[in-house]
Amino acid sequence: MNLISHRTLKVGSSLAVLGLLATGCSAQSAADSTDASTSPRVAVTYANGAAVLDGKSLEVLKTFDTEEFTRLNSAGDGRNFLLTTSKGFQVLDASTPELTEATFAASAAGHVVPHAGKTALFDDGSGITTIFDTDKLAEDEGKLPEVETIESPAHHGVSVAMEDGTVLTTIGDASSRTGVQQLDAQHKKIAESTDCPAVHGEGTAADGRAVFGCEDGALVFADGKFTKLSAPDEYGRMGNAYVSPTSALVIGDYQNDPDAEGNLLHQITLIDTAKTSYQVADLPDGIEYTWRGVARGPEDLGYLLGTDGKIHVIDPSTGKITRSIDAIDAWEGPSQWQEAHPALRIDGNTAYVSEPAKKTVHALDLESGNKTASVVLDTEPNELAVTTK
């Protein structure tokens, strides 16, 4: 992949424009030796490839050839990403950077969930969950750490390793999903709820609580038991949960029309996992979003990238927008979720936003609202991730 242009911005004034050629997977720059622990690294996927960027300057450090479409996740160790390929979860070392040969085998690699010092990988093809010590992946540098596996008949599921050594994992089979169960260290069931049809997505909030999306509401796990929270609509699907480890409040996406065309949404779910309360809030007219455009950030607030091109700051207790930040041009939603469309990720006080229409990735300071860096690629960026711990 070729980098067309790169620029760092300060309070509206443009500094130098740097041109750099980065050919195929051999492209490299002097910045490659930078320790990822001193600066976050950003990864971006695109058709048939992936790139690692410096988190401050957005300089392209290296590009890699991949399959046509790959998913992208932070491994949770502050160093590695995991690409979901046809062979499984392939380790992308952001420090080197290097797309390693190390791959956690899976027939249909799905959810990656780092939590409580463990990372859980769910194979949607076999139902097998693979769990490893998160920091061991960074320590082993290109080698896979020891793992434990949990077998389940559920497909297209998700698992979460909890602080007490138990695991929350999807209940279901090859054709349907009905709920979530808690397994002890010997993988024996100690609690369950089957009142969560088409369970999808997860999030871990403060004080050991977790939430899962259902097509008719949500399921909260706290203090060893599950509580069902019902949606106000007969069909009220929450597919993704946006959480903070220091907040009991959860923001979820929301869809109440099973026949809706396209992937744009105009409502959000607000869940208080401490009070086990649930409500749905409407966004103002002209603001829609997709699952790629919501994140939690400073002060545990919600940040939503709207189709109007602004990042809207949301109070997770009320759903009200308290501030809006200009980020990119207005955009239209994708017809298929896999298509490249704007994404938002947050690390500390920095928001990373992709703008596929301009083949660009931006970094914004959330306090000032200013763009601090931008990079223009030669193809549309798709998925976006940051080396977070």
Side-chain angles (χ1 to χ4, degrees):
M1 183 184 74
N2 294 327
L3 173 62
I4 297 178
S5 68
H6 162 87
R7 59 190 184 275
T8 300
L9 310 172
K10 296 224 188 227
V11 196
S13 65
S14 177
L15 299 180
V17 176
L18 173 67
L20 172 69
L21 289 179
T23 307
C25 62
S26 62
Q28 202 165 356
S29 80
D32 289 357
S33 60
T34 301
D35 184 354
S37 65
T38 63
S39 173
R41 294 284 167 87
V42 178
V44 58
T45 60
Y46 46 89
N48 300 299
V52 173
L53 318 179
D54 178 81
K56 292 182 179 179
S57 68
L58 294 186
E59 178 184 357
V60 173
L61 303 179
K62 201 168 184 180
T63 64
F64 308 93
D65 294 331
T66 68
E67 297 170 357
E68 181 178 2
F69 177 76
T70 54
R71 305 298 310 279
L72 178 65
N73 296 275
S74 169
D77 61 357
R79 173 171 180 164
N80 293 290
F81 298 102
L82 294 174
L83 291 178
T84 55
T85 72
S86 60
K87 294 181 179 180
F89 302 87
Q90 187 173 5
V91 178
L92 173 57
D93 184 338
S95 180
T96 312
E98 178 187 7
L99 183 58
T100 73
E101 295 296 322
T103 301
F104 296 94
S107 57
H111 283 270
V112 176
V113 182
H115 182 249
K118 302 279 188 179
T119 299
L121 313 176
F122 199 95
D123 183 345
D124 287 338
S126 67
I128 293 175
T129 296
T130 299
I131 300 175
F132 62 89
D133 290 340
T134 304
D135 289 342
K136 289 290 185 182
L137 184 62
E139 294 170 4
D140 291 345
E141 296 192 7
K143 297 180 180 179
L144 296 182
E146 292 184 1
V147 304
E148 65 171 312
T149 58
I150 299 173
E151 295 187 8
S152 167
H155 289 212
H156 192 66
V158 64
S159 295
V160 185
M162 304 299 285
E163 292 181 5
D164 60 3
T166 65
V167 174
L168 305 180
T169 189
T170 303
I171 298 171
D173 55 32
S175 60
S176 64
R177 305 179 304 283
T178 58
V180 181
Q181 60 184 337
Q182 181 190 26
L183 305 179
D184 65 15
Q186 288 71 46
H187 305 165
K188 292 183 179 180
K189 180 175 64 180
I190 53 178
E192 72 171 352
S193 172
T194 56
D195 191 14
C196 189
V199 57
H200 187 277
E202 54 67 42
T204 49
D207 300 320
R209 303 185 186 98
V211 63
F212 298 83
C214 317
E215 68 176 14
D216 60 355
L219 197 63
V220 171
F221 177 83
D223 301 321
K225 65 179 183 179
F226 292 95
T227 301
K228 175 62 180 288
L229 304 178
S230 297
D233 302 290
E234 182 177 355
Y235 179 87
R237 180 181 186 272
M238 187 181 101
N240 298 275
Y242 308 97
V243 298
S244 166
T246 56
S247 174
L249 305 178
V250 174
I251 296 175
D253 54 11
Y254 190 76
Q255 170 62 275
N256 63 357
D257 182 0
D259 301 317
E261 296 182 2
N263 291 274
L264 290 178
L265 305 171
H266 64 276
Q267 295 175 300
I268 55 175
T269 304
L270 306 174
I271 296 172
D272 187 326
T273 59
K275 298 178 180 179
T276 57
S277 64
Y278 177 105
Q279 61 177 311
V280 174
D282 294 312
L283 295 174
D285 290 343
I287 300 176
E288 294 181 292
Y289 70 101
T290 77
W291 57 275
R292 279 188 185 155
V294 188
R296 298 296 286 274
E299 300 180 43
D300 288 335
L301 296 171
Y303 294 79
L304 183 147
L305 180 62
T307 49
D308 58 354
K310 300 178 184 292
I311 297 175
H312 300 282
V313 184
I314 297 175
D315 182 338
S317 65
T318 64
K320 299 295 185 182
I321 293 174
T322 61
R323 181 184 174 215
S324 296
I325 304 167
D326 291 330
I328 59 176
D329 289 346
W331 52 280
E332 296 182 357
S335 58
Q336 302 293 328
W337 68 265
Q338 298 94 333
E339 293 177 6
H341 61 278
L344 169 68
R345 294 291 181 268
I346 293 176
D347 182 68
N349 204 48
T350 300
Y352 297 98
V353 181
S354 64
E355 189 170 12
K358 293 186 175 180
K359 302 177 181 177
T360 302
V361 177
H362 306 280
L364 294 92
D365 181 275
L366 289 172
E367 184 175 353
S368 67
N370 293 324
K371 285 191 177 76
T372 57
S374 293
V375 63
V376 182
L377 312 174
D378 71 344
T379 190
E380 297 179 336
N382 197 342
E383 297 215 343
L384 196 63
V386 185
T387 51
T388 54
K389 288 197 76 171

